[in-house]
mmCIF file of all heavy atoms in Angstrom:
data_model
loop_
_atom_site.group_PDB
_atom_site.id
_atom_site.type_symbol
_atom_site.label_atom_id
_atom_site.label_comp_id
_atom_site.label_asym_id
_atom_site.label_seq_id
_atom_site.Cartn_x
_atom_site.Cartn_y
_atom_site.Cartn_z
ATOM 1 N N GLY A 7 7.746 -4.594 17.752
ATOM 2 C CA GLY A 7 6.791 -4.261 18.788
ATOM 3 C C GLY A 7 5.433 -4.810 18.463
ATOM 4 O O GLY A 7 5.123 -5.953 18.678
ATOM 5 N N LEU A 10 2.324 -6.966 13.132
ATOM 6 C CA LEU A 10 1.316 -6.712 12.112
ATOM 7 C C LEU A 10 1.131 -7.965 11.282
ATOM 8 O O LEU A 10 1.763 -8.982 11.513
ATOM 9 C CB LEU A 10 1.797 -5.550 11.217
ATOM 10 C CG LEU A 10 2.257 -4.295 11.983
ATOM 11 C CD1 LEU A 10 2.690 -3.238 11.004
ATOM 12 C CD2 LEU A 10 1.130 -3.768 12.843
ATOM 13 N N THR A 17 9.170 -16.230 6.670
ATOM 14 C CA THR A 17 9.305 -17.688 6.696
ATOM 15 C C THR A 17 10.688 -18.047 7.137
ATOM 16 O O THR A 17 11.579 -17.203 7.185
ATOM 17 C CB THR A 17 9.062 -18.259 5.303
ATOM 18 O OG1 THR A 17 10.028 -17.736 4.425
ATOM 19 C CG2 THR A 17 7.673 -17.922 4.815
ATOM 20 N N GLU A 40 33.200 -17.506 17.858
ATOM 21 C CA GLU A 40 32.171 -18.069 17.012
ATOM 22 C C GLU A 40 31.145 -18.843 17.811
ATOM 23 O O GLU A 40 29.931 -18.744 17.581
ATOM 24 C CB GLU A 40 32.771 -18.948 15.933
ATOM 25 C CG GLU A 40 33.564 -18.184 14.871
ATOM 26 C CD GLU A 40 34.283 -19.106 13.906
ATOM 27 O OE1 GLU A 40 34.486 -20.314 14.243
ATOM 28 O OE2 GLU A 40 34.685 -18.640 12.831
ATOM 29 N N TRP A 64 3.362 -16.479 13.611
ATOM 30 C CA TRP A 64 3.531 -16.586 12.182
ATOM 31 C C TRP A 64 4.767 -17.428 11.835
ATOM 32 O O TRP A 64 4.810 -18.055 10.776
ATOM 33 C CB TRP A 64 3.620 -15.218 11.541
ATOM 34 C CG TRP A 64 2.280 -14.553 11.509
ATOM 35 C CD1 TRP A 64 1.796 -13.642 12.418
ATOM 36 C CD2 TRP A 64 1.241 -14.782 10.589
ATOM 37 N NE1 TRP A 64 0.515 -13.277 12.075
ATOM 38 C CE2 TRP A 64 0.166 -13.962 10.953
ATOM 39 C CE3 TRP A 64 1.109 -15.590 9.451
ATOM 40 C CZ2 TRP A 64 -1.047 -13.935 10.239
ATOM 41 C CZ3 TRP A 64 -0.057 -15.572 8.743
ATOM 42 C CH2 TRP A 64 -1.135 -14.746 9.139
ATOM 43 N N GLN A 103 36.244 -11.357 14.492
ATOM 44 C CA GLN A 103 36.428 -12.688 15.076
ATOM 45 C C GLN A 103 35.308 -13.660 14.722
ATOM 46 O O GLN A 103 35.321 -14.810 15.177
ATOM 47 C CB GLN A 103 36.538 -12.563 16.593
ATOM 48 C CG GLN A 103 37.782 -11.805 17.079
ATOM 49 C CD GLN A 103 37.877 -11.749 18.577
ATOM 50 O OE1 GLN A 103 36.900 -11.711 19.295
ATOM 51 N NE2 GLN A 103 39.129 -11.764 19.075
ATOM 52 N N THR A 185 -3.538 8.686 7.399
ATOM 53 C CA THR A 185 -3.790 8.951 5.995
ATOM 54 C C THR A 185 -5.202 8.434 5.670
ATOM 55 O O THR A 185 -5.706 7.488 6.283
ATOM 56 C CB THR A 185 -2.791 8.220 5.076
ATOM 57 O OG1 THR A 185 -3.121 6.823 4.991
ATOM 58 C CG2 THR A 185 -1.367 8.397 5.570
ATOM 59 N N GLN A 212 -18.694 -24.930 20.423
ATOM 60 C CA GLN A 212 -19.777 -25.530 21.159
ATOM 61 C C GLN A 212 -19.848 -27.047 20.967
ATOM 62 O O GLN A 212 -20.298 -27.782 21.866
ATOM 63 C CB GLN A 212 -21.111 -24.905 20.717
ATOM 64 C CG GLN A 212 -21.248 -23.423 21.030
ATOM 65 C CD GLN A 212 -21.007 -23.134 22.485
ATOM 66 O OE1 GLN A 212 -21.475 -23.842 23.389
ATOM 67 N NE2 GLN A 212 -20.274 -22.058 22.774
ATOM 68 N N ASP A 220 -15.710 -23.448 29.871
ATOM 69 C CA ASP A 220 -14.909 -22.856 28.811
ATOM 70 C C ASP A 220 -15.760 -22.526 27.592
ATOM 71 O O ASP A 220 -15.507 -21.515 26.892
ATOM 72 C CB ASP A 220 -13.761 -23.800 28.415
ATOM 73 C CG ASP A 220 -12.568 -23.685 29.352
ATOM 74 O OD1 ASP A 220 -12.542 -22.742 30.163
ATOM 75 O OD2 ASP A 220 -11.649 -24.534 29.261
ATOM 76 N N GLU A 226 -18.856 -15.857 25.399
ATOM 77 C CA GLU A 226 -18.806 -14.487 25.914
ATOM 78 C C GLU A 226 -17.691 -13.684 25.246
ATOM 79 O O GLU A 226 -17.917 -12.558 24.778
ATOM 80 C CB GLU A 226 -18.593 -14.537 27.435
ATOM 81 C CG GLU A 226 -18.455 -13.162 28.080
ATOM 82 C CD GLU A 226 -18.103 -13.274 29.561
ATOM 83 O OE1 GLU A 226 -18.400 -14.326 30.168
ATOM 84 O OE2 GLU A 226 -17.505 -12.311 30.104
ATOM 85 N N GLN A 236 -16.299 -4.436 15.383
ATOM 86 C CA GLN A 236 -17.300 -3.545 14.816
ATOM 87 C C GLN A 236 -17.128 -2.129 15.353
ATOM 88 O O GLN A 236 -17.292 -1.137 14.614
ATOM 89 C CB GLN A 236 -18.722 -4.049 15.126
ATOM 90 C CG GLN A 236 -19.821 -3.243 14.448
ATOM 91 C CD GLN A 236 -19.705 -3.242 12.944
ATOM 92 O OE1 GLN A 236 -19.657 -4.283 12.321
ATOM 93 N NE2 GLN A 236 -19.611 -2.054 12.335
ATOM 94 N N GLU A 266 14.644 7.460 1.935
ATOM 95 C CA GLU A 266 16.012 6.936 1.853
ATOM 96 C C GLU A 266 16.316 6.074 3.065
ATOM 97 O O GLU A 266 16.956 5.009 2.950
ATOM 98 C CB GLU A 266 17.012 8.089 1.739
ATOM 99 C CG GLU A 266 17.092 8.749 0.381
ATOM 100 C CD GLU A 266 17.805 7.879 -0.679
ATOM 101 O OE1 GLU A 266 18.253 6.764 -0.354
ATOM 102 O OE2 GLU A 266 17.901 8.326 -1.837
ATOM 103 N N TYR A 283 16.564 4.148 -8.382
ATOM 104 C CA TYR A 283 15.620 4.832 -9.265
ATOM 105 C C TYR A 283 16.259 5.145 -10.611
ATOM 106 O O TYR A 283 15.663 4.924 -11.676
ATOM 107 C CB TYR A 283 15.110 6.104 -8.582
ATOM 108 C CG TYR A 283 14.453 7.084 -9.510
ATOM 109 C CD1 TYR A 283 13.144 6.883 -9.980
ATOM 110 C CD2 TYR A 283 15.110 8.256 -9.927
ATOM 111 C CE1 TYR A 283 12.538 7.797 -10.834
ATOM 112 C CE2 TYR A 283 14.514 9.164 -10.759
ATOM 113 C CZ TYR A 283 13.238 8.946 -11.233
ATOM 114 O OH TYR A 283 12.629 9.846 -12.074
ATOM 115 N N LYS A 366 6.250 -30.769 0.378
ATOM 116 C CA LYS A 366 5.842 -29.441 0.839
ATOM 117 C C LYS A 366 4.690 -28.951 -0.040
ATOM 118 O O LYS A 366 4.898 -28.457 -1.130
ATOM 119 C CB LYS A 366 7.018 -28.441 0.774
ATOM 120 C CG LYS A 366 8.239 -28.883 1.583
ATOM 121 C CD LYS A 366 7.926 -28.953 3.067
ATOM 122 C CE LYS A 366 9.158 -29.193 3.899
ATOM 123 N NZ LYS A 366 9.775 -30.498 3.663
ATOM 124 N N VAL A 401 -5.248 -16.159 -4.420
ATOM 125 C CA VAL A 401 -5.687 -15.541 -5.669
ATOM 126 C C VAL A 401 -7.055 -14.934 -5.441
ATOM 127 O O VAL A 401 -7.994 -15.617 -5.037
ATOM 128 C CB VAL A 401 -5.760 -16.548 -6.826
ATOM 129 C CG1 VAL A 401 -6.142 -15.847 -8.122
ATOM 130 C CG2 VAL A 401 -4.434 -17.300 -6.970
ATOM 131 N N TRP A 484 7.946 -13.584 -25.208
ATOM 132 C CA TRP A 484 9.016 -12.633 -24.808
ATOM 133 C C TRP A 484 8.486 -11.197 -24.816
ATOM 134 O O TRP A 484 8.879 -10.404 -23.930
ATOM 135 C CB TRP A 484 10.210 -12.768 -25.755
ATOM 136 C CG TRP A 484 11.157 -13.828 -25.299
ATOM 137 C CD1 TRP A 484 11.225 -15.135 -25.749
ATOM 138 C CD2 TRP A 484 12.156 -13.713 -24.283
ATOM 139 N NE1 TRP A 484 12.189 -15.820 -25.083
ATOM 140 C CE2 TRP A 484 12.782 -14.974 -24.172
ATOM 141 C CE3 TRP A 484 12.585 -12.671 -23.469
ATOM 142 C CZ2 TRP A 484 13.831 -15.215 -23.262
ATOM 143 C CZ3 TRP A 484 13.621 -12.917 -22.568
ATOM 144 C CH2 TRP A 484 14.227 -14.153 -22.478
ATOM 145 N N LEU A 507 9.222 12.548 -5.368
ATOM 146 C CA LEU A 507 9.157 13.592 -6.395
ATOM 147 C C LEU A 507 7.775 14.213 -6.536
ATOM 148 O O LEU A 507 7.594 15.113 -7.328
ATOM 149 C CB LEU A 507 9.609 13.015 -7.743
ATOM 150 C CG LEU A 507 11.026 12.390 -7.757
ATOM 151 C CD1 LEU A 507 11.339 11.839 -9.159
ATOM 152 C CD2 LEU A 507 12.067 13.405 -7.324
ATOM 153 N N THR A 544 9.831 -1.223 -4.666
ATOM 154 C CA THR A 544 11.166 -1.215 -5.279
ATOM 155 C C THR A 544 11.920 -2.519 -5.065
ATOM 156 O O THR A 544 12.949 -2.778 -5.695
ATOM 157 C CB THR A 544 12.043 -0.083 -4.700
ATOM 158 O OG1 THR A 544 12.402 -0.429 -3.349
ATOM 159 C CG2 THR A 544 11.307 1.242 -4.702
ATOM 160 N N ASP A 555 22.806 -10.053 -11.922
ATOM 161 C CA ASP A 555 24.203 -9.644 -12.047
ATOM 162 C C ASP A 555 25.150 -10.648 -11.396
ATOM 163 O O ASP A 555 26.232 -10.939 -11.908
ATOM 164 C CB ASP A 555 24.401 -8.248 -11.437
ATOM 165 C CG ASP A 555 23.725 -7.153 -12.252
ATOM 166 O OD1 ASP A 555 23.308 -7.428 -13.388
ATOM 167 O OD2 ASP A 555 23.591 -6.030 -11.728
ATOM 168 N N PHE A 568 30.429 -23.724 -14.667
ATOM 169 C CA PHE A 568 29.164 -23.163 -14.177
ATOM 170 C C PHE A 568 28.017 -24.117 -14.447
ATOM 171 O O PHE A 568 27.868 -24.629 -15.568
ATOM 172 C CB PHE A 568 28.886 -21.805 -14.839
ATOM 173 C CG PHE A 568 27.570 -21.194 -14.399
ATOM 174 C CD1 PHE A 568 27.488 -20.472 -13.225
ATOM 175 C CD2 PHE A 568 26.410 -21.384 -15.170
ATOM 176 C CE1 PHE A 568 26.285 -19.910 -12.816
ATOM 177 C CE2 PHE A 568 25.221 -20.803 -14.768
ATOM 178 C CZ PHE A 568 25.158 -20.083 -13.595
#
Side-chain angles (χ1 to χ4, degrees):
L10 310 180
T17 61
E40 289 174 342
W64 286 98
Q103 294 182 328
T185 77
Q212 296 306 318
D220 278 350
E226 177 185 336
Q236 186 59 56
E266 284 286 0
Y283 163 76
K366 302 296 188 295
V401 183
W484 274 97
L507 304 179
T544 72
D555 291 347
F568 178 82

